[in-house]
Amino acid sequence: MTVGVLLMTHESMGHALVGAARHVLGRLPLPVDVQEVAADADPEQMLRMAAAQARELDCGAGVLVLSDLYGATPCNIARRLPDLGVRMHCVSGLNLPMLLRVLNYPEQSLDELAQTAASGGRGGIVVDNP
Amino acid sequence: MLEREITISNRLGLHARASAKLVQALHGFEASASIACRGKEVNAKSIMGVMMLAAGPGTAVTLRTDGPEAEQAMQAMLDLFERKFDEGE
């Protein structure tokens, strides 16, 4: 039983990241879906759509929501998903290292995977010493 | 513990897809595996770990494996390096 992964992002971010992950990994080992929230989108409608996507992704182990910016609308919508009965963790600050690391640990539980995502996102930021 | 030295010979080095292939090749072996170069040692079963080496072509790396299937894991890594990660170059 694996966790489902839902990317909730600003426009053109989520699909681009999934495309890059596919390029690196080939087949993705977890079910992944994307919701990109357009600037003029209706948040209530987006919430209902995200809940439907989350239910589709949930095979019983819950859904890991990855959002690009904490406090922004895609993230704010995501954080309301539990009100609609979605079992999830939301991790913000989505970047490609975070997504790759999540996909490298498909056997983890929802709680573990949220921590894996956070450490992957942080650990992927490197300042090169000249 | 087994230890082998090898020089990275594919055109793009240990880039993202090569790192992913390495991690996939090691998946399922009952062995720990690491790669070391320039004084840094990382878990070879972790994509982000391997990527953090930023090891380009011509870099000499030390492969280490340990555990019940250390030999098979080492061979899987060596094969992949020798096949230049199946990148056809």
Side-chain angles (χ1 to χ4, degrees):
Chain A
M1 200 164 61
T2 59
V3 170
V5 179
L6 177 61
L7 273 59
M8 291 199 60
T9 70
H10 290 81
E11 265 180 302
S12 70
M13 289 274 300
H15 287 293
L17 285 167
V18 172
R22 263 187 226 288
H23 164 73
V24 173
L25 299 173
R27 194 189 69 86
L28 302 185
L30 289 173
V32 176
D33 202 356
V34 176
Q35 189 185 80
E36 292 180 358
V37 180
D40 57 355
D42 171 16
E44 298 308 317
Q45 190 192 354
M46 290 286 116
L47 176 62
R48 286 193 296 275
M49 281 169 60
Q53 286 172 293
R55 281 187 208 106
E56 191 73 24
L57 285 168
D58 191 351
C59 318
V63 178
L64 182 68
V65 179
L66 304 177
S67 87
D68 54 356
L69 184 62
Y70 187 75
T73 300
C75 175
N76 292 342
I77 294 171
R79 294 173 66 225
R80 290 172 61 197
L81 284 170
D83 299 343
L84 277 70
V86 176
R87 190 182 153 228
M88 66 108 177
H89 273 309
C90 181
V91 180
S92 303
L94 172 61
N95 56 19
L96 188 54
M98 178 187 291
L99 182 58
L100 290 178
R101 187 144 199 268
V102 163
L103 295 171
N104 200 32
Y105 293 93
E107 70 288 350
Q108 288 190 346
S109 70
L110 180 58
D111 288 352
E112 292 169 324
L113 212 49
Q115 296 306 320
T116 296
S119 62
R122 286 193 199 101
I125 297 171
V126 179
V127 180
D128 258 336
N129 291 316
Chain B
M1 189 180 70
L2 298 178
E3 188 173 304
R4 297 280 187 286
E5 302 266 336
I6 196 160
T7 299
I8 298 173
S9 61
N10 62 315
R11 188 171 63 87
L12 297 173
L14 274 181
H15 64 118
R17 268 176 300 148
S19 302
K21 281 180 186 170
L22 187 72
V23 169
Q24 280 158 10
L26 287 168
H27 185 76
F29 285 121
E30 208 181 315
S32 62
S34 71
I35 309 181
C37 77
R38 299 188 299 262
K40 198 171 185 180
E41 181 160 10
V42 300
N43 179 4
K45 289 182 162 183
S46 151
I47 291 184
M48 290 318 300
V50 177
M51 298 230 43
M52 286 302 126
L53 287 178
T59 308
V61 296
T62 305
L63 311 178
R64 295 192 181 98
T65 59
D66 202 2
E69 294 186 306
E71 261 179 54
Q72 294 93 319
M74 178 61 80
Q75 199 54 52
M77 280 204 285
L78 289 170
D79 286 348
L80 198 57
F81 275 91
E82 279 159 14
R83 297 203 311 266
K84 297 180 194 286
F85 296 88
D86 300 323
E87 288 172 354
E89 299 168 39

